[in-house]
Short mmCIF file of all heavy atoms in Angstrom, two decimals:
data_model
loop_
_atom_site.label_atom_id
_atom_site.label_comp_id
_atom_site.label_asym_id
_atom_site.label_seq_id
_atom_site.Cartn_x
_atom_site.Cartn_y
_atom_site.Cartn_z
N MET K 1 -27.99 19.28 42.54
CA MET K 1 -27.15 18.39 41.69
C MET K 1 -28.06 17.40 41.04
O MET K 1 -28.84 16.69 41.56
CB MET K 1 -26.14 17.61 42.63
CG MET K 1 -25.11 18.50 43.24
SD MET K 1 -23.76 18.76 42.11
CE MET K 1 -22.71 19.84 43.07
N ALA K 2 -27.86 17.29 39.73
CA ALA K 2 -28.67 16.33 38.97
C ALA K 2 -27.99 15.02 38.98
O ALA K 2 -26.78 14.91 38.85
CB ALA K 2 -28.78 16.84 37.52
N SER K 3 -28.76 14.00 39.25
CA SER K 3 -28.26 12.64 39.29
C SER K 3 -28.60 11.88 38.01
O SER K 3 -28.64 10.63 38.08
CB SER K 3 -28.76 11.94 40.51
OG SER K 3 -30.18 11.93 40.50
N THR K 4 -28.86 12.57 36.99
CA THR K 4 -29.15 11.86 35.77
C THR K 4 -27.88 11.79 34.87
O THR K 4 -27.44 12.74 34.35
CB THR K 4 -30.22 12.59 34.97
OG1 THR K 4 -30.02 14.02 35.04
CG2 THR K 4 -31.59 12.30 35.57
N LYS K 5 -27.44 10.56 34.70
CA LYS K 5 -26.24 10.36 33.90
C LYS K 5 -26.66 10.02 32.50
O LYS K 5 -27.48 9.15 32.27
CB LYS K 5 -25.39 9.28 34.54
CG LYS K 5 -24.56 9.74 35.67
CD LYS K 5 -23.55 8.61 36.09
CE LYS K 5 -22.74 9.08 37.27
NZ LYS K 5 -21.87 8.05 37.69
N PRO K 6 -25.99 10.62 31.54
CA PRO K 6 -26.28 10.25 30.12
C PRO K 6 -25.74 8.93 29.83
O PRO K 6 -24.67 8.56 30.36
CB PRO K 6 -25.54 11.36 29.35
CG PRO K 6 -24.48 11.87 30.25
CD PRO K 6 -25.01 11.65 31.68
N PRO K 7 -26.37 8.16 28.97
CA PRO K 7 -25.99 6.81 28.63
C PRO K 7 -24.75 6.82 27.79
O PRO K 7 -24.71 6.62 26.53
CB PRO K 7 -27.16 6.22 27.85
CG PRO K 7 -27.89 7.40 27.32
CD PRO K 7 -27.59 8.50 28.29
N LEU K 8 -23.58 7.08 28.38
CA LEU K 8 -22.34 7.20 27.64
C LEU K 8 -21.91 5.90 27.00
O LEU K 8 -21.49 5.79 25.89
CB LEU K 8 -21.25 7.69 28.58
CG LEU K 8 -21.18 9.18 28.77
CD1 LEU K 8 -20.07 9.58 29.76
CD2 LEU K 8 -20.96 9.92 27.40
N MET K 9 -22.09 4.79 27.74
CA MET K 9 -21.61 3.55 27.30
C MET K 9 -22.72 2.70 26.44
O MET K 9 -22.56 1.65 26.16
CB MET K 9 -21.16 2.65 28.43
CG MET K 9 -19.86 3.13 29.01
SD MET K 9 -18.63 3.42 27.76
CE MET K 9 -17.32 2.30 28.31
N ALA K 10 -23.77 3.48 26.15
CA ALA K 10 -24.81 2.85 25.36
C ALA K 10 -25.36 1.63 26.08
O ALA K 10 -25.90 0.72 25.50
CB ALA K 10 -24.33 2.43 23.98
N SER K 11 -25.25 1.55 27.35
CA SER K 11 -25.74 0.52 28.20
C SER K 11 -25.33 -0.88 27.72
O SER K 11 -25.96 -1.86 27.87
CB SER K 11 -27.25 0.57 28.33
OG SER K 11 -27.79 0.52 26.98
N GLY K 12 -24.17 -0.88 27.14
CA GLY K 12 -23.54 -2.18 26.82
C GLY K 12 -24.25 -2.97 25.69
O GLY K 12 -24.51 -4.13 25.89
N THR K 13 -24.51 -2.29 24.61
CA THR K 13 -25.04 -3.06 23.48
C THR K 13 -24.22 -2.88 22.26
O THR K 13 -23.65 -1.80 22.04
CB THR K 13 -26.50 -2.61 23.13
OG1 THR K 13 -26.51 -1.21 23.17
CG2 THR K 13 -27.49 -3.11 24.14
N CYS K 14 -24.03 -3.92 21.51
CA CYS K 14 -23.21 -3.86 20.35
C CYS K 14 -23.80 -2.97 19.27
O CYS K 14 -25.03 -3.06 18.95
CB CYS K 14 -23.10 -5.32 19.84
SG CYS K 14 -22.19 -5.40 18.21
N PRO K 15 -23.02 -2.02 18.77
CA PRO K 15 -23.54 -1.09 17.76
C PRO K 15 -23.77 -1.80 16.43
O PRO K 15 -24.40 -1.24 15.52
CB PRO K 15 -22.41 -0.07 17.63
CG PRO K 15 -21.19 -0.74 18.11
CD PRO K 15 -21.59 -1.78 19.12
N ILE K 16 -23.32 -3.01 16.26
CA ILE K 16 -23.51 -3.70 15.01
C ILE K 16 -24.78 -4.58 15.09
O ILE K 16 -25.59 -4.46 14.15
CB ILE K 16 -22.27 -4.63 14.73
CG1 ILE K 16 -20.98 -3.85 14.76
CG2 ILE K 16 -22.49 -5.36 13.41
CD1 ILE K 16 -20.88 -2.75 13.69
N CYS K 17 -24.92 -5.29 16.08
CA CYS K 17 -26.07 -6.19 16.13
C CYS K 17 -26.92 -6.01 17.30
O CYS K 17 -27.91 -6.68 17.50
CB CYS K 17 -25.59 -7.66 16.03
SG CYS K 17 -24.71 -8.13 17.49
N SER K 18 -26.64 -5.05 18.17
CA SER K 18 -27.44 -4.69 19.33
C SER K 18 -27.50 -5.76 20.37
O SER K 18 -28.44 -5.84 21.16
CB SER K 18 -28.85 -4.28 18.90
OG SER K 18 -28.85 -3.17 18.08
N ARG K 19 -26.54 -6.66 20.42
CA ARG K 19 -26.53 -7.70 21.46
C ARG K 19 -25.68 -7.17 22.63
O ARG K 19 -24.98 -6.19 22.44
CB ARG K 19 -25.89 -8.90 20.84
CG ARG K 19 -26.82 -9.69 20.01
CD ARG K 19 -26.25 -10.97 19.53
NE ARG K 19 -27.10 -11.71 18.62
CZ ARG K 19 -26.77 -12.82 17.97
NH1 ARG K 19 -25.62 -13.31 18.17
NH2 ARG K 19 -27.60 -13.37 17.18
N PRO K 20 -25.82 -7.75 23.74
CA PRO K 20 -25.06 -7.37 24.91
C PRO K 20 -23.54 -7.38 24.65
O PRO K 20 -23.04 -8.26 23.97
CB PRO K 20 -25.39 -8.46 25.99
CG PRO K 20 -26.71 -8.92 25.52
CD PRO K 20 -26.74 -8.89 24.01
N THR K 21 -22.90 -6.34 25.11
CA THR K 21 -21.45 -6.16 24.80
C THR K 21 -20.64 -7.12 25.60
O THR K 21 -20.88 -7.52 26.75
CB THR K 21 -21.04 -4.77 25.18
OG1 THR K 21 -21.60 -3.85 24.31
CG2 THR K 21 -19.58 -4.60 25.15
N ASP K 22 -19.61 -7.65 24.93
CA ASP K 22 -18.66 -8.55 25.62
C ASP K 22 -17.52 -7.72 26.13
O ASP K 22 -17.01 -6.89 25.42
CB ASP K 22 -18.20 -9.60 24.63
CG ASP K 22 -17.37 -10.67 25.39
OD1 ASP K 22 -16.33 -10.37 25.94
OD2 ASP K 22 -17.84 -11.85 25.38
N ALA K 23 -17.07 -7.89 27.32
CA ALA K 23 -16.04 -7.09 27.84
C ALA K 23 -14.72 -7.26 27.03
O ALA K 23 -13.92 -6.30 26.98
CB ALA K 23 -15.73 -7.55 29.29
N ASP K 24 -14.54 -8.39 26.43
CA ASP K 24 -13.34 -8.58 25.62
C ASP K 24 -13.36 -7.83 24.34
O ASP K 24 -12.32 -7.55 23.70
CB ASP K 24 -13.09 -10.07 25.34
CG ASP K 24 -12.58 -10.79 26.56
OD1 ASP K 24 -12.10 -10.10 27.46
OD2 ASP K 24 -12.69 -12.00 26.60
N TYR K 25 -14.52 -7.50 23.85
CA TYR K 25 -14.64 -6.89 22.57
C TYR K 25 -15.44 -5.57 22.57
O TYR K 25 -16.04 -5.20 21.58
CB TYR K 25 -15.32 -7.90 21.58
CG TYR K 25 -14.61 -9.17 21.46
CD1 TYR K 25 -15.12 -10.36 22.05
CD2 TYR K 25 -13.44 -9.27 20.76
CE1 TYR K 25 -14.44 -11.50 21.96
CE2 TYR K 25 -12.72 -10.50 20.66
CZ TYR K 25 -13.27 -11.57 21.27
OH TYR K 25 -12.64 -12.80 21.19
N ARG K 26 -15.42 -4.93 23.73
CA ARG K 26 -16.07 -3.69 23.80
C ARG K 26 -15.67 -2.71 22.66
O ARG K 26 -14.50 -2.69 22.37
CB ARG K 26 -15.83 -3.07 25.19
CG ARG K 26 -16.73 -3.59 26.23
CD ARG K 26 -16.68 -2.70 27.44
NE ARG K 26 -15.32 -2.46 27.93
CZ ARG K 26 -15.09 -1.61 28.90
NH1 ARG K 26 -16.07 -1.00 29.55
NH2 ARG K 26 -13.83 -1.39 29.21
N PRO K 27 -16.63 -1.91 22.19
CA PRO K 27 -18.06 -1.90 22.57
C PRO K 27 -18.86 -2.91 21.77
O PRO K 27 -20.04 -2.74 21.59
CB PRO K 27 -18.43 -0.51 22.20
CG PRO K 27 -17.60 -0.19 21.01
CD PRO K 27 -16.29 -0.97 21.18
N PHE K 28 -18.19 -3.95 21.25
CA PHE K 28 -18.93 -4.95 20.44
C PHE K 28 -19.16 -6.17 21.26
O PHE K 28 -18.79 -6.32 22.36
CB PHE K 28 -18.09 -5.27 19.21
CG PHE K 28 -17.65 -4.02 18.48
CD1 PHE K 28 -16.38 -3.54 18.62
CD2 PHE K 28 -18.52 -3.34 17.67
CE1 PHE K 28 -15.96 -2.45 17.93
CE2 PHE K 28 -18.15 -2.20 17.00
CZ PHE K 28 -16.89 -1.75 17.12
N CYS K 29 -19.99 -7.11 20.63
CA CYS K 29 -20.38 -8.24 21.36
C CYS K 29 -19.49 -9.43 21.06
O CYS K 29 -19.43 -10.46 21.73
CB CYS K 29 -21.81 -8.64 20.98
SG CYS K 29 -21.96 -9.23 19.32
N SER K 30 -18.70 -9.33 19.96
CA SER K 30 -17.88 -10.34 19.55
C SER K 30 -16.80 -9.85 18.61
O SER K 30 -16.89 -8.74 18.10
CB SER K 30 -18.65 -11.45 18.81
OG SER K 30 -19.23 -10.91 17.61
N ARG K 31 -15.86 -10.68 18.35
CA ARG K 31 -14.79 -10.23 17.46
C ARG K 31 -15.31 -9.97 16.03
O ARG K 31 -14.82 -9.17 15.27
CB ARG K 31 -13.67 -11.28 17.45
CG ARG K 31 -12.49 -10.72 16.70
CD ARG K 31 -11.39 -11.71 16.49
NE ARG K 31 -10.39 -11.23 15.56
CZ ARG K 31 -9.28 -11.85 15.31
NH1 ARG K 31 -9.11 -13.05 15.79
NH2 ARG K 31 -8.41 -11.31 14.46
N ARG K 32 -16.26 -10.75 15.71
CA ARG K 32 -16.85 -10.61 14.39
C ARG K 32 -17.44 -9.26 14.20
O ARG K 32 -17.23 -8.61 13.14
CB ARG K 32 -17.93 -11.69 14.22
CG ARG K 32 -18.35 -11.80 12.71
CD ARG K 32 -19.42 -12.84 12.64
NE ARG K 32 -20.04 -12.70 11.29
CZ ARG K 32 -21.02 -13.50 10.91
NH1 ARG K 32 -21.60 -14.31 11.79
NH2 ARG K 32 -21.50 -13.34 9.68
N CYS K 33 -18.14 -8.78 15.21
CA CYS K 33 -18.78 -7.48 15.03
C CYS K 33 -17.71 -6.40 15.03
O CYS K 33 -17.77 -5.40 14.32
CB CYS K 33 -19.76 -7.24 16.14
SG CYS K 33 -21.38 -8.06 15.84
N ALA K 34 -16.74 -6.58 15.82
CA ALA K 34 -15.56 -5.64 15.86
C ALA K 34 -14.93 -5.63 14.50
O ALA K 34 -14.53 -4.55 13.99
CB ALA K 34 -14.55 -6.00 16.88
N ASP K 35 -14.80 -6.76 13.90
CA ASP K 35 -14.26 -6.87 12.54
C ASP K 35 -15.13 -6.10 11.52
O ASP K 35 -14.60 -5.40 10.66
CB ASP K 35 -14.11 -8.32 12.20
CG ASP K 35 -12.72 -8.62 11.70
OD1 ASP K 35 -11.76 -8.25 12.38
OD2 ASP K 35 -12.59 -9.20 10.59
N VAL K 36 -16.43 -6.33 11.62
CA VAL K 36 -17.34 -5.67 10.72
C VAL K 36 -17.14 -4.19 10.88
O VAL K 36 -17.08 -3.47 9.78
CB VAL K 36 -18.75 -6.06 11.11
CG1 VAL K 36 -19.76 -5.15 10.32
CG2 VAL K 36 -19.04 -7.54 10.72
N ASP K 37 -17.14 -3.67 12.09
CA ASP K 37 -17.02 -2.22 12.22
C ASP K 37 -15.68 -1.73 11.68
O ASP K 37 -15.56 -0.70 11.06
CB ASP K 37 -17.08 -1.87 13.72
CG ASP K 37 -17.12 -0.36 13.89
OD1 ASP K 37 -18.14 0.23 13.68
OD2 ASP K 37 -16.08 0.14 14.32
N LEU K 38 -14.63 -2.51 11.92
CA LEU K 38 -13.28 -2.13 11.46
C LEU K 38 -13.28 -2.03 9.92
O LEU K 38 -12.75 -1.07 9.32
CB LEU K 38 -12.24 -3.13 11.96
CG LEU K 38 -10.82 -2.80 11.48
CD1 LEU K 38 -10.33 -1.51 12.08
CD2 LEU K 38 -9.88 -3.94 11.81
N SER K 39 -13.84 -3.03 9.23
CA SER K 39 -13.82 -3.02 7.83
C SER K 39 -14.63 -1.82 7.30
O SER K 39 -14.28 -1.21 6.30
CB SER K 39 -14.31 -4.34 7.29
OG SER K 39 -15.55 -4.63 7.80
N ARG K 40 -15.71 -1.54 7.98
CA ARG K 40 -16.51 -0.37 7.57
C ARG K 40 -15.65 0.85 7.68
O ARG K 40 -15.66 1.70 6.82
CB ARG K 40 -17.74 -0.28 8.55
CG ARG K 40 -18.81 -1.19 8.11
CD ARG K 40 -20.04 -0.83 8.97
NE ARG K 40 -21.07 -1.82 8.81
CZ ARG K 40 -22.17 -1.81 9.51
NH1 ARG K 40 -22.33 -0.86 10.41
NH2 ARG K 40 -23.05 -2.73 9.33
N TRP K 41 -14.99 0.98 8.79
CA TRP K 41 -14.16 2.15 9.04
C TRP K 41 -13.03 2.30 8.00
O TRP K 41 -12.75 3.30 7.50
CB TRP K 41 -13.56 2.08 10.40
CG TRP K 41 -12.81 3.28 10.82
CD1 TRP K 41 -13.35 4.42 11.40
CD2 TRP K 41 -11.43 3.58 10.65
NE1 TRP K 41 -12.39 5.37 11.61
CE2 TRP K 41 -11.22 4.85 11.16
CE3 TRP K 41 -10.40 2.85 10.11
CZ2 TRP K 41 -9.94 5.46 11.12
CZ3 TRP K 41 -9.12 3.48 10.05
CH2 TRP K 41 -8.92 4.76 10.58
N LEU K 42 -12.46 1.14 7.66
CA LEU K 42 -11.37 1.14 6.67
C LEU K 42 -11.88 1.53 5.32
O LEU K 42 -11.26 2.30 4.59
CB LEU K 42 -10.69 -0.22 6.63
CG LEU K 42 -9.80 -0.54 7.83
CD1 LEU K 42 -9.30 -1.98 7.67
CD2 LEU K 42 -8.63 0.45 7.88
N ARG K 43 -13.01 1.01 5.02
CA ARG K 43 -13.62 1.38 3.71
C ARG K 43 -13.82 2.87 3.61
O ARG K 43 -13.52 3.51 2.57
CB ARG K 43 -15.01 0.67 3.54
CG ARG K 43 -14.87 -0.68 2.99
CD ARG K 43 -16.20 -1.07 2.37
NE ARG K 43 -16.28 -2.53 2.27
CZ ARG K 43 -17.41 -3.09 1.81
NH1 ARG K 43 -18.46 -2.34 1.52
NH2 ARG K 43 -17.46 -4.39 1.69
N GLY K 44 -14.34 3.48 4.70
CA GLY K 44 -14.59 4.88 4.71
C GLY K 44 -13.28 5.69 4.57
O GLY K 44 -13.21 6.64 3.91
N ALA K 45 -12.25 5.12 5.25
CA ALA K 45 -10.99 5.81 5.23
C ALA K 45 -10.34 5.75 3.88
O ALA K 45 -9.66 6.68 3.49
CB ALA K 45 -10.10 5.20 6.28
N TYR K 46 -10.54 4.67 3.21
CA TYR K 46 -9.90 4.52 1.87
C TYR K 46 -10.70 5.07 0.74
O TYR K 46 -10.26 5.16 -0.41
CB TYR K 46 -9.68 2.99 1.60
CG TYR K 46 -8.42 2.53 2.39
CD1 TYR K 46 -8.52 1.49 3.30
CD2 TYR K 46 -7.18 3.09 2.17
CE1 TYR K 46 -7.43 1.05 3.96
CE2 TYR K 46 -6.10 2.65 2.81
CZ TYR K 46 -6.21 1.64 3.71
OH TYR K 46 -5.13 1.26 4.39
N ALA K 47 -11.96 5.40 1.04
CA ALA K 47 -12.84 5.98 0.02
C ALA K 47 -12.45 7.43 -0.17
O ALA K 47 -13.00 8.34 0.39
CB ALA K 47 -14.23 5.86 0.41
N ILE K 48 -11.48 7.64 -1.00
CA ILE K 48 -11.01 9.03 -1.24
C ILE K 48 -11.74 9.69 -2.44
O ILE K 48 -11.71 9.17 -3.58
CB ILE K 48 -9.55 9.04 -1.54
CG1 ILE K 48 -8.73 8.41 -0.40
CG2 ILE K 48 -9.08 10.49 -1.79
CD1 ILE K 48 -7.28 8.14 -0.70
N PRO K 49 -12.47 10.73 -2.19
CA PRO K 49 -13.15 11.39 -3.28
C PRO K 49 -12.24 12.19 -4.18
O PRO K 49 -11.87 13.34 -3.86
CB PRO K 49 -14.12 12.33 -2.48
CG PRO K 49 -13.45 12.57 -1.17
CD PRO K 49 -12.61 11.40 -0.87
N ASP K 50 -11.79 11.52 -5.24
CA ASP K 50 -10.78 12.19 -6.08
C ASP K 50 -11.44 12.72 -7.38
O ASP K 50 -10.82 12.93 -8.36
CB ASP K 50 -9.68 11.18 -6.47
CG ASP K 50 -10.26 10.06 -7.33
OD1 ASP K 50 -11.46 9.72 -7.11
OD2 ASP K 50 -9.48 9.57 -8.16
N ALA K 51 -12.74 12.98 -7.23
CA ALA K 51 -13.46 13.53 -8.39
C ALA K 51 -13.66 15.04 -8.22
O ALA K 51 -14.39 15.69 -8.98
CB ALA K 51 -14.79 12.82 -8.51
N GLU K 52 -13.01 15.59 -7.14
CA GLU K 52 -13.22 17.01 -6.96
C GLU K 52 -12.05 17.84 -7.39
O GLU K 52 -12.15 18.98 -7.66
CB GLU K 52 -13.49 17.24 -5.48
CG GLU K 52 -14.99 17.46 -5.22
CD GLU K 52 -15.25 17.91 -3.84
OE1 GLU K 52 -15.20 19.12 -3.57
OE2 GLU K 52 -15.51 17.00 -2.93
N SER K 53 -10.87 17.21 -7.30
CA SER K 53 -9.66 17.99 -7.65
C SER K 53 -9.25 17.76 -9.07
O SER K 53 -8.09 17.63 -9.46
CB SER K 53 -8.53 17.54 -6.74
OG SER K 53 -8.28 16.13 -6.83
N GLU K 54 -10.23 17.73 -9.92
CA GLU K 54 -9.98 17.43 -11.33
C GLU K 54 -10.54 18.47 -12.28
O GLU K 54 -10.24 18.55 -13.42
CB GLU K 54 -10.63 16.09 -11.62
CG GLU K 54 -10.13 15.21 -12.57
CD GLU K 54 -8.75 14.91 -12.92
OE1 GLU K 54 -8.03 14.35 -12.18
OE2 GLU K 54 -8.52 15.09 -14.11
N ASP K 55 -11.22 19.40 -11.65
CA ASP K 55 -11.95 20.35 -12.54
C ASP K 55 -11.16 21.66 -12.73
O ASP K 55 -11.59 22.52 -13.42
CB ASP K 55 -13.27 20.73 -11.85
CG ASP K 55 -14.54 20.39 -12.75
OD1 ASP K 55 -14.31 19.57 -13.62
OD2 ASP K 55 -15.50 21.00 -12.66
N GLY K 56 -10.05 21.78 -12.04
CA GLY K 56 -9.26 22.96 -12.18
C GLY K 56 -9.99 24.25 -11.71
O GLY K 56 -9.96 25.32 -12.21
N ASP K 57 -10.76 23.99 -10.66
CA ASP K 57 -11.59 25.06 -10.09
C ASP K 57 -10.77 26.03 -9.28
O ASP K 57 -11.05 27.14 -9.07
CB ASP K 57 -12.69 24.48 -9.28
CG ASP K 57 -13.83 25.45 -9.16
OD1 ASP K 57 -14.15 26.10 -10.19
OD2 ASP K 57 -14.46 25.57 -8.09
N THR K 58 -9.59 25.52 -8.84
CA THR K 58 -8.68 26.35 -7.99
C THR K 58 -7.56 26.87 -8.83
O THR K 58 -6.43 26.78 -8.39
CB THR K 58 -8.24 25.55 -6.79
OG1 THR K 58 -7.63 24.38 -7.24
CG2 THR K 58 -9.42 25.16 -5.91
N ALA K 59 -7.89 27.34 -9.97
CA ALA K 59 -6.75 27.84 -10.83
C ALA K 59 -6.10 29.11 -10.21
O ALA K 59 -6.78 30.15 -10.11
CB ALA K 59 -7.28 28.19 -12.19
N GLU K 60 -4.84 28.92 -9.88
CA GLU K 60 -4.17 30.11 -9.34
C GLU K 60 -3.64 31.01 -10.47
O GLU K 60 -3.16 30.55 -11.43
CB GLU K 60 -2.94 29.60 -8.51
CG GLU K 60 -3.42 28.95 -7.19
CD GLU K 60 -2.27 28.55 -6.37
OE1 GLU K 60 -1.21 29.18 -6.52
OE2 GLU K 60 -2.41 27.54 -5.64
N PRO K 61 -3.80 32.28 -10.21
CA PRO K 61 -3.36 33.28 -11.24
C PRO K 61 -1.83 33.31 -11.38
O PRO K 61 -1.18 33.22 -10.32
CB PRO K 61 -3.88 34.62 -10.64
CG PRO K 61 -4.11 34.40 -9.23
CD PRO K 61 -4.41 32.90 -9.08
N ASP K 62 -1.36 33.30 -12.48
CA ASP K 62 0.06 33.31 -12.76
C ASP K 62 0.65 34.63 -12.29
O ASP K 62 0.18 35.72 -12.54
CB ASP K 62 0.35 33.13 -14.19
CG ASP K 62 0.14 31.67 -14.62
OD1 ASP K 62 0.24 30.77 -13.75
OD2 ASP K 62 -0.15 31.40 -15.80
N GLY K 63 1.82 34.47 -11.66
CA GLY K 63 2.53 35.68 -11.23
C GLY K 63 1.71 36.45 -10.16
O GLY K 63 1.56 37.60 -10.21
N GLY K 64 1.31 35.67 -9.20
CA GLY K 64 0.47 36.28 -8.11
C GLY K 64 1.39 37.01 -7.11
O GLY K 64 0.89 37.61 -6.12
N GLU K 65 2.67 36.89 -7.23
CA GLU K 65 3.56 37.51 -6.28
C GLU K 65 4.11 38.83 -6.74
O GLU K 65 5.22 39.23 -6.39
CB GLU K 65 4.71 36.51 -6.03
CG GLU K 65 4.21 35.32 -5.28
CD GLU K 65 4.89 35.17 -3.96
OE1 GLU K 65 5.87 35.97 -3.67
OE2 GLU K 65 4.59 34.19 -3.22
N THR K 66 3.35 39.58 -7.47
CA THR K 66 3.84 40.81 -8.00
C THR K 66 3.75 41.91 -6.90
O THR K 66 4.41 42.92 -7.01
CB THR K 66 3.10 41.30 -9.24
OG1 THR K 66 1.74 40.81 -9.12
CG2 THR K 66 3.71 40.64 -10.49
N GLY K 67 2.90 41.70 -5.96
CA GLY K 67 2.82 42.68 -4.87
C GLY K 67 2.64 44.14 -5.33
O GLY K 67 3.41 45.02 -4.91
N ARG K 68 1.75 44.34 -6.22
CA ARG K 68 1.53 45.73 -6.72
C ARG K 68 0.70 46.51 -5.70
O ARG K 68 -0.18 45.96 -5.11
CB ARG K 68 0.90 45.70 -8.07
CG ARG K 68 -0.41 44.92 -8.07
CD ARG K 68 -1.13 45.13 -9.37
NE ARG K 68 -2.02 44.05 -9.65
CZ ARG K 68 -2.87 44.08 -10.69
NH1 ARG K 68 -3.05 45.12 -11.36
NH2 ARG K 68 -3.62 43.04 -10.89
N GLU K 69 0.91 47.77 -5.68
CA GLU K 69 0.14 48.60 -4.80
C GLU K 69 -1.00 49.25 -5.49
O GLU K 69 -0.99 49.51 -6.68
CB GLU K 69 1.06 49.63 -4.10
CG GLU K 69 2.12 48.96 -3.32
CD GLU K 69 3.10 50.02 -2.80
OE1 GLU K 69 3.05 51.18 -3.20
OE2 GLU K 69 3.99 49.68 -2.00
N ASP K 70 -1.93 49.65 -4.67
CA ASP K 70 -3.13 50.36 -5.31
C ASP K 70 -2.85 51.85 -5.47
O ASP K 70 -2.88 52.60 -4.64
CB ASP K 70 -4.36 50.21 -4.35
CG ASP K 70 -5.33 49.30 -5.04
OD1 ASP K 70 -4.92 48.61 -5.95
OD2 ASP K 70 -6.48 49.36 -4.57
ZN1 ZN H 101 -22.51 -7.68 17.66
#
């Protein structure tokens, strides 16, 4: 049996500023860092790449339901 545990909890350091984690704001060290991470996450969530569905690359053929046989 291996007794080596992977550092799942990152040994209690804030991912934002690398300070010791506060139990109240895990995995962050303070509410501020939690806020920073949250705003980052929200930015990413709201960053919708709408420059891809504009080229008409997925042009469907008209009358594709003809079901013709070979
Ligand atoms: Zn922090």
